[in-house]
Amino acid sequence: MILTSYFGRYKYIVNPISICGKAPDWFDGPQYKELAPKYSFFKDYKAGLISEEEYTKFYKKEVLDKLNVSNVYTDLYHKYDSANFTLLCYEKVGVFCHRHLVADWLNANGFKVEELML
């Protein structure tokens, strides 16, 4: 099963994979930066210069549209040789975040993804 979560729940995570541009210094798990947002629009969003809608548009165009979903899943699977892994970034549950866009993208393409709820 594919889960999503954030670094604050790290102690509950099975097979964590960071999908951020920069994981925390203490994180020693695998990273998959191909799913990280581009710094330019990430910075603009955090500064309040673009909306969630604009961020979503940029993220899809600049990241997801350039990837093959089956290849991404295969790459993620091979990080642990397991279909059970958790995609991590920084934002808490309920806060807009690119991991939710990744989950929607994977779900829309036949891969079941859920947020880890504790």
Side-chain angles (χ1 to χ4, degrees):
M1 168 175 262
I2 305 170
L3 296 171
T4 59
S5 193
Y6 63 101
F7 290 108
R9 291 196 169 154
Y10 182 71
K11 66 182 178 180
Y12 306 108
I13 304 298
V14 174
N15 296 339
I17 301 171
S18 170
I19 58 170
C20 303
K22 181 175 180 348
D25 292 338
W26 53 262
F27 181 75
D28 61 355
Q31 300 183 45
Y32 196 76
K33 293 188 180 203
E34 291 86 341
L35 290 173
K38 303 298 181 204
Y39 183 70
S40 61
F41 63 83
F42 173 78
K43 179 182 67 166
D44 287 348
Y45 173 72
K46 288 297 187 179
L49 300 174
I50 62 172
S51 67
E52 288 179 10
E53 183 178 313
E54 291 168 308
Y55 179 98
T56 299
K57 177 183 166 190
F58 288 128
Y59 185 75
K60 287 179 178 178
K61 179 181 176 191
E62 298 298 323
V63 179
L64 297 179
D65 289 351
K66 295 181 178 185
L67 297 171
N68 175 289
V69 70
S70 295
N71 291 345
V72 168
Y73 175 79
T74 299
D75 291 346
L76 293 168
Y77 176 92
H78 286 296
K79 296 287 185 186
Y80 288 104
D81 287 325
S82 173
N84 299 312
F85 53 84
T86 306
L87 305 177
L88 295 177
C89 66
Y90 288 94
E91 305 298 339
K92 291 182 179 181
V93 174
V95 176
F96 176 77
C97 177
H98 81 286
R99 81 172 178 269
H100 305 299
L101 302 176
V102 171
D104 290 346
W105 179 67
L106 288 166
N107 278 318
N109 286 283
F111 300 95
K112 185 175 166 81
V113 182
E114 296 179 8
E115 181 74 16
L116 175 65
M117 303 302 278
L118 296 174

